[in-house]
Amino acid sequence: MSSEKEDQQTSLEPVLSFSKDDLEDKNLHVLTTIISPNGKEVQITNNVDQAMKYALEHQNDGFELDEATNKRILRKIDTFLLPVMCLLYCFQFMDKLSTSYSSILGLREELHMVGDMYSWTSTSFYLGYLVFEFPASMLLQRFPVAKTVSVFIIIWGMILALCSVPKYPGFIALRTILGMLESAVTPAFTIITSQWYKRDEQFLRTAWWFASNGIGTIVGSGIAYGLYIHQESYSLPAWKLVFVVTGVLTIFLGFVIATHIPDAPTKAWFLTEEEKVLVVERIRSNQQGFGNRRFKKNQFIEALTDHRTWLFFLYSLSSNIPNGGITSFGTILLNEQFGFTKSKSLLMQMPQGAVEIVGCTLFAYFAKFVKSRMLVAIGTTAVVVMAECLLAFAPSNQGKLAGLYLYTLGPIGFICLISQIASSVAGHTKKITVNAIYLIAYCVGNLIGPQTFIATQAPDYNGAKIAIVICGIISLLCLIAIYISYILENKRRDNLPPVDMSHIENYEFADLTDKENPNFRYAL
């Protein structure tokens, strides 16, 4: 009887339209309520997504998005955004590797590092990253994304160049500041990817810009090698020049980001007015828009109480303990354990970059045919665990070297979950909160990783290698748990009575979370 009454009320309910006055009203008020998939009443207020206002202003323009137009706009977005994003991610990884290169070019000797002092050059970086991750995410929510992250990048380049100046205490201080500045890059790129791309496009695009770490490995190794073999020609030692060169290039790129990447698709200088409207229509299927500058306490609490948030956290922690160690000690392993000369150790890192570029993008592209990014990530991570076993337990150096190279497929799982934050975490405050928690775990993992490489265990570092294998297994189990969780929740929602949202105009841009929106489904 009560359900018949509810159906009758719904059928008599007029279509709810958001007005521009509603969106510009600073005093929040409830416009309507809906029932979430968990059976809770959810209030829709005038505190909605930035895309809502643009959709209202152009709702009568009559532009249609056919398949040919959709492909043309996607190509245009890729052409103008992805090269710059890939280039920046290349340089941010060169920054991380700069201490690894410099470690065999004289950094440790000139700064009088003994024992585990070198490990702290990486750990201090991630301490800064850890401390500033939430403030950086809040700044990205409050201020225009592209302009904010460009300021971070420019200052980061200046600090990176200054790493060629100080003694050990000052060097550690600068590395800590670098971590604070770099904490804005990945969350900014996650937001940009969710702003511009549909859910089924996000995994491959995230893989493209994240796999540019491999380009950073190749280019950085080449720069370090060239500086090393010609160091007699320079007035500065080769290890100092590594920081100066990468720092100056980063400053230049920061200005490129500021002038080239728009803060939102509706402000894109390379799109026509019609294309801007169609970009908004393209992302309507995401059930989320460009973002909301107001912090929502209820979304923050939902992020903290969502079990998937903590599966993301555990995955990121376990997968980045190996990453932190290998990033800092990769060149040292090649030099001390595998017996390569200093110059050849720099060159032998290039295949790692090639494996990352080709492997990560190829596996991400393969998801188009498997129709599941999560299954691709699980399968690739299983291969990575085998590679970690090779690195730890292979009887020959050739087998261990193969394991070291194949390990660089590891980021595909990390990329998958970054794209899931873009696709499967809705509500802007919830998204930036989950993103921050995920990257805090990334920091903690990278912070712990170098400490597993104990100086007294050199050059084999057997304890670190065993830790790498254990962490790889944990990360694989986390991916499987997240995948099963998404499948079960999607099936549960499909079996619920459908909720009529037709009376709420542009509800896709109402800044509802994935748990609040009855029409939301998780990307598999």
Side-chain angles (χ1 to χ4, degrees):
M1 184 71 179
S2 60
S3 62
E4 290 178 5
K5 185 177 179 181
E6 287 175 6
D7 291 340
Q8 189 177 16
Q9 286 176 344
T10 301
S11 63
L12 295 175
E13 198 170 48
V15 173
L16 174 71
S17 290
F18 291 88
S19 70
K20 285 183 280 185
D21 290 336
D22 287 330
L23 303 186
E24 291 167 1
D25 185 2
K26 294 181 181 180
N27 298 314
L28 299 183
H29 57 269
V30 177
L31 300 177
T32 189
T33 60
I34 60 169
I35 302 300
S36 75
N38 294 328
K40 295 181 180 179
E41 188 178 87
V42 178
Q43 296 180 340
I44 297 180
T45 71
N46 60 331
N47 187 3
V48 294
D49 194 276
Q50 294 173 37
M52 178 74 81
K53 183 177 179 181
Y54 199 81
L56 289 172
E57 290 174 345
H58 297 272
Q59 60 186 345
N60 298 319
D61 288 355
F63 298 133
E64 292 187 6
L65 184 67
D66 55 40
E67 187 60 28
T69 305
N70 181 54
K71 289 181 178 179
R72 176 176 60 80
I73 293 175
L74 178 60
R75 283 195 300 269
K76 197 169 188 179
I77 294 170
D78 285 342
T79 300
F80 282 92
L81 290 189
L82 278 177
V84 178
M85 294 174 72
C86 290
L87 194 59
L88 176 63
Y89 230 76
C90 160
F91 278 101
Q92 68 90 32
F93 196 67
M94 283 171 59
D95 164 27
K96 291 187 179 73
L97 291 175
S98 58
T99 52
S100 180
Y101 300 143
S102 299
S103 67
I104 65 169
L105 297 179
L107 171 69
R108 290 180 293 173
E109 292 77 10
E110 188 156 337
L111 297 189
H112 307 295
M113 296 184 193
V114 293
D116 296 325
M117 289 174 69
Y118 172 70
S119 298
W120 282 98
T121 63
S122 180
T123 298
S124 62
F125 176 92
Y126 288 105
L127 278 173
Y129 202 123
L130 173 65
V131 168
F132 209 67
E133 183 53 49
F134 256 116
S137 296
M138 294 297 106
L139 288 171
L140 290 172
Q141 180 180 23
R142 182 67 184 85
F143 299 103
V145 175
K147 298 297 185 295
T148 303
V149 77
S150 65
V151 172
F152 275 77
I153 293 164
I154 292 166
I155 300 173
W156 152 33
M158 295 175 181
I159 299 296
L160 183 58
L162 287 174
C163 284
S164 61
V165 175
K167 299 300 181 184
Y168 182 76
F171 187 81
I172 293 295
L174 290 176
R175 293 298 297 173
T176 305
I177 297 170
L178 276 175
M180 295 171 67
L181 293 168
E182 198 172 315
S183 64
V185 176
T186 301
F189 276 24
T190 304
I191 293 169
I192 291 169
T193 304
S194 67
Q195 286 179 337
W196 287 89
Y197 293 103
K198 295 166 66 176
R199 294 206 308 179
D200 59 347
E201 300 163 353
Q202 289 171 0
F203 182 35
L204 181 57
R205 271 69 188 181
T206 304
W208 279 346
W209 56 256
F210 198 97
S212 298
N213 284 344
I215 300 174
T217 302
I218 295 171
V219 174
S221 298
I223 290 173
Y225 176 77
L227 293 173
Y228 175 71
I229 62 174
H230 295 108
Q231 59 183 328
E232 300 300 326
S233 304
Y234 306 115
S235 57
L236 285 176
W239 73 266
K240 291 189 175 185
L241 285 171
V242 168
F243 292 112
V244 173
V245 171
T246 52
V248 170
L249 290 173
T250 302
I251 293 169
F252 170 75
L253 196 56
F255 284 105
V256 173
I257 296 287
T259 55
H260 184 78
I261 294 186
D263 292 306
T266 53
K267 298 178 181 179
W269 57 271
F270 54 84
L271 296 179
T272 65
E273 286 304 313
E274 178 183 351
E275 288 170 340
K276 290 176 184 178
V277 175
L278 295 178
V279 166
V280 174
E281 291 305 309
R282 264 175 47 81
I283 65 166
R284 188 182 289 274
S285 61
N286 295 351
Q287 303 284 318
Q288 44 190 316
F290 304 151
N292 188 314
R293 293 187 181 179
R294 292 176 179 172
F295 180 83
K296 295 185 177 181
K297 183 180 177 181
N298 65 304
Q299 292 192 12
F300 177 75
I301 294 171
E302 182 178 312
L304 295 181
T305 55
D306 190 335
H307 70 278
R308 297 180 193 89
T309 300
W310 302 108
L311 285 172
F312 276 47
F313 178 90
L314 184 57
Y315 169 82
S316 186
L317 175 66
S318 58
S319 66
N320 281 291
I321 289 175
N323 181 65
I326 291 174
T327 299
S328 297
F329 282 83
T331 312
I332 293 173
L333 283 175
L334 290 167
N335 180 222
E336 295 181 359
Q337 181 179 6
F338 296 110
F340 295 115
T341 63
K342 291 182 179 181
S343 58
K344 195 166 184 180
S345 294
L346 294 169
L347 294 177
M348 290 299 288
Q349 285 203 319
M350 289 185 173
Q352 290 177 271
V355 170
E356 184 169 3
I357 297 166
V358 176
C360 289
T361 52
L362 189 63
F363 277 110
Y365 184 75
F366 187 59
K368 293 179 67 174
F369 305 99
V370 178
K371 303 299 182 185
S372 172
R373 68 182 80 172
M374 291 298 298
L375 283 179
V376 168
I378 289 167
T380 309
T381 303
V383 173
V384 170
V385 171
M386 290 187 282
E388 291 168 341
C389 290
L390 273 176
L391 176 62
F393 307 121
S396 66
N397 277 346
Q398 289 85 350
K400 290 179 179 178
L401 185 62
L404 181 64
Y405 285 161
L406 287 174
Y407 166 78
T408 51
L409 291 173
I412 197 68
F414 194 79
I415 292 166
C416 176
L417 292 194
I418 286 178
S419 73
Q420 286 289 26
I421 291 172
S423 302
S424 297
V425 180
H428 196 62
T429 299
K430 182 177 181 180
K431 185 189 297 291
I432 65 165
T433 303
V434 174
N435 203 6
I437 290 172
Y438 186 64
L439 292 173
I440 283 171
Y442 162 83
C443 295
V444 175
N446 279 286
L447 188 152
I448 295 170
Q451 301 301 322
T452 64
F453 283 76
I454 301 170
T456 55
Q457 295 181 350
D460 293 327
Y461 299 104
N462 290 323
K465 291 176 181 177
I466 292 171
I468 285 171
V469 174
I470 294 171
C471 289
I473 294 170
I474 294 172
S475 65
L476 177 60
L477 293 175
C478 287
L479 286 175
I480 294 171
I482 293 167
Y483 179 58
I484 292 172
S485 172
Y486 281 159
I487 288 178
L488 294 177
E489 180 60 20
N490 281 352
K491 286 184 177 179
R492 186 184 74 84
R493 293 188 180 198
D494 289 341
N495 291 329
L496 291 174
V499 177
D500 182 16
M501 302 279 280
S502 61
H503 64 288
I504 308 174
E505 190 177 14
N506 291 314
Y507 76 89
E508 300 93 342
F509 302 137
D511 197 32
L512 298 172
T513 70
D514 50 283
K515 285 194 170 187
E516 293 172 340
N517 188 345
N519 288 338
F520 191 92
R521 296 296 183 271
Y522 295 99
L524 299 177

